[in-house]
């Protein structure tokens, strides 16, 4: 009888663990452009000093030095697929939010509360579409600026919600990546030199 109770207890613990399990993934642009580490959604600031009020931007993916998504780039894959919600795993109460229902909208990061502006569909084509305005897709800017760290130097781009458009589909098509899979083939040369002052493993 004691053995049976112990077995049932173990099963309950295992079941609870499986239910609460979260898979952390980067939300990564498929095209590499000038960055062979890939472009990911990123909280402004370093992981230990993130500026959540600044919303999201695009930045060099960080898995090249950590192998798995870092806190400032990690999203809950299950929520994306099951709930149409892009919830961060490092800041578990923060979700991608359409700041205003218009093209050019800032991509804010706000408390997850189920509001319509936080419903985001990740469609079969890799587009992240605003639920309240399905004509808007999450879009990476074509303007590149240098970051403050990393070796090579991290690069950054703004992200906004823009009209879904086949002419800029390469900047509107995303994938989810759970771990580093190696460098990509770049579509253009890097516009900024390597940062010689950064340690190879720090990435920040």
């Amino acid at each position: 009888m004691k053995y049976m109770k112990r077995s049932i207890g173990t099963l309950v613990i295992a079941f609870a663990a499986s239910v609460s399990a979260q898979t952390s993934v980067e939300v990564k642009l498929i095209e590499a452009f000038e960055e062979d580490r890939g472009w990911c959604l990123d909280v402004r600031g370093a992981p230990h000093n993130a500026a959540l009020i600044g919303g999201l931007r695009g930045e060099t993916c960080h898995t090249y030095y950590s192998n798995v998504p870092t806190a400032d780039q990690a999203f809950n894959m299950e929520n994306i697929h099951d709930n149409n919600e892009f919830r961060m795993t490092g800041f578990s109460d923060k979700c991608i939010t359409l700041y205003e229902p218009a093209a050019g909208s800032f991509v804010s990061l706000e408390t997850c509360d189920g509001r319509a502006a936080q419903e985001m569909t990740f469609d079969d084509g890799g587009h992240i579409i605003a639920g309240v305005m399905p004509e808007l897709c999450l879009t990476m800017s074509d303007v590149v600026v240098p970051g403050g760290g990393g070796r090579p130097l991290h690069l950054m781009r703004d992200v906004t919600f823009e009209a879904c458009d086949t002419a800029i589909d390469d900047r509107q098509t995303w994938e989810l990546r759970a771990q580093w899979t190696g460098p990509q083939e770049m579509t253009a040369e890097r516009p900024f030199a390597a940062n010689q002052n950064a340690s190879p493993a720090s990435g920040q």
Side-chain angles (χ1 to χ4, degrees), residues 16 34 45-46 51 61 88 105 109 112 136 155 161 187:
E34 300 94 343
C61 298
M88 299 204 76
S105 174
L109 196 59
C112 305
L136 298 183
L155 303 182
F161 283 97
T187 57

Side-chain angles (χ1 to χ4, degrees), residues 47-162:
H48 62 279
N49 190 29
L52 301 181
I53 196 170
L56 293 173
R57 67 184 175 197
E59 188 176 321
T60 304
C61 298
H62 294 167
T63 50
Y64 76 98
Y65 68 84
S66 65
N67 192 47
V68 295
T70 54
D72 55 342
Q73 294 188 347
F75 291 82
N76 183 325
M77 183 178 72
E78 288 76 16
N79 271 41
I80 293 171
H81 290 309
D82 299 340
N83 303 323
N84 291 334
E85 176 188 79
F86 281 73
R87 178 184 292 257
M88 299 204 76
T89 54
F91 309 94
S92 61
D93 65 336
K94 300 301 180 185
C95 288
I96 292 180
T97 307
L98 179 68
Y99 188 73
E100 56 182 343
S105 174
F106 172 67
V107 183
S108 63
L109 196 59
E110 301 182 24
T111 300
C112 305
D113 56 16
R115 76 187 88 164
Q118 292 178 345
E119 181 184 342
M120 303 287 159
T121 301
F122 186 52
D123 74 9
D124 292 340
H127 305 105
I128 299 171
I129 299 170
V132 293
M133 292 200 71
E135 65 271 29
L136 298 183
C137 288
L138 189 66
T139 306
M140 185 84 73
S141 170
D142 59 354
V143 177
V144 184
V145 296
R151 181 185 286 181
L153 184 69
H154 285 167
L155 303 182
M156 299 181 296
R157 298 171 182 253
D158 283 337
V159 288
T160 53
F161 283 97
E162 304 290 349

Side-chain angles (χ1 to χ4, degrees), residues 1-15:
M1 186 67 173
K2 288 182 180 178
Y3 175 78
M4 183 178 292
K5 287 182 178 178
R6 189 180 303 117
S7 298
I8 292 172
T10 302
L11 286 172
V12 169
I13 292 169
F15 177 75

Side-chain angles (χ1 to χ4, degrees), residues 26-37:
E26 299 167 318
V27 180
K28 174 188 164 296
L29 204 67
I30 289 179
E31 288 291 334
F33 293 117
E34 300 94 343
E35 180 49 74
D36 65 3
R37 293 166 290 183

